[in-house]
Amino acid sequence: MHGTDSPSSSLPGNDPTGLQSFAVLLRRMNSEFNRIAHEFAQAQGLHLTDVQALVAILDADPDDGPMTPGRLRRQLDLTSGAVTACVDRLEKAGHIRRVRAEGDRRVVHLHYAEAAKSVARDYFQPLARGTDAARARFRDDELRVVARFLDEMNRELALLRSRPSRP
């Protein structure tokens, strides 16, 4: 059954590695990840933005130091007030901890709480199993190419985000 409401494994065009095919595949995967994130947010009594903040805190580049509210604001493109409300909700729900920097008590670092990691791990276990099952269908050399592609996509997305706002 083909239609706008049902997923299909067929891709447009004749080139499975063409730009249009990649765009469709990436949108489908993004849509599924968004659905899962939304379900997790609802299950935890959170907003979708809160889940995005949790991911940003969890995946913060250690070379950039601990996540701060300011960095989170820039990464999620939120106002200061929206970040404060988000961090307040996450802290109240037990998902994060605010920790004052030792060198400068005015600086606040945001850390994912251990108990929350356990909750997320349990919730996302089916996704982890699915990811592992998909990975098992590829050779190591193929996985390295996939990982390289995903790394390059993330680099390109970061470049888009760093550019001035589009009209």
Side-chain angles (χ1 to χ4, degrees):
M1 176 175 155
H2 294 317
T4 57
D5 293 354
S6 65
S8 169
S9 61
S10 65
L11 295 174
N14 296 326
D15 185 2
T17 61
L19 180 60
Q20 187 176 5
S21 294
F22 267 75
V24 169
L25 290 169
L26 290 170
R27 282 193 308 266
R28 285 179 187 167
M29 187 170 63
N30 185 57
S31 178
E32 288 302 315
F33 282 141
N34 285 340
R35 181 190 55 78
I36 292 167
H38 190 264
E39 289 172 357
F40 178 75
Q42 287 183 319
Q44 295 298 306
L46 300 172
H47 299 171
L48 187 55
T49 301
D50 299 342
V51 175
Q52 293 169 333
L54 282 173
V55 169
I57 293 166
L58 181 65
D59 292 346
D61 186 343
D63 291 341
D64 294 334
M67 181 61 76
T68 64
R71 243 176 85 200
L72 188 61
R73 180 188 62 74
R74 288 185 300 279
Q75 188 165 339
L76 298 181
D77 194 25
L78 298 173
T79 65
S80 295
V83 166
T84 298
C86 175
V87 169
D88 287 347
R89 284 190 302 271
L90 291 173
E91 187 176 46
K92 183 178 179 184
H95 287 279
I96 66 165
R97 298 179 294 108
R98 285 178 167 121
V99 177
R100 298 269 177 202
E102 288 183 26
D104 185 346
R105 304 287 296 158
R106 295 171 296 174
V107 176
V108 174
H109 295 161
L110 306 173
H111 297 279
Y112 210 123
E114 285 303 317
K117 284 182 186 178
S118 177
V119 168
R121 192 176 308 115
D122 291 346
Y123 189 90
F124 290 105
Q125 192 61 247
L127 176 59
R129 283 193 299 272
T131 301
D132 202 37
R135 285 178 57 249
R137 294 190 284 271
F138 292 86
R139 297 183 318 265
D140 284 347
D141 61 320
E142 292 173 313
L143 290 172
R144 280 190 286 279
V145 171
V146 170
R148 196 175 93 226
F149 171 77
L150 293 173
D151 188 48
E152 289 299 322
M153 278 300 305
N154 284 323
R155 188 179 337 278
E156 291 297 326
L157 292 169
L159 285 171
L160 282 173
R161 184 174 5 109
S162 68
R163 291 185 187 139
S165 296
R166 294 175 292 279

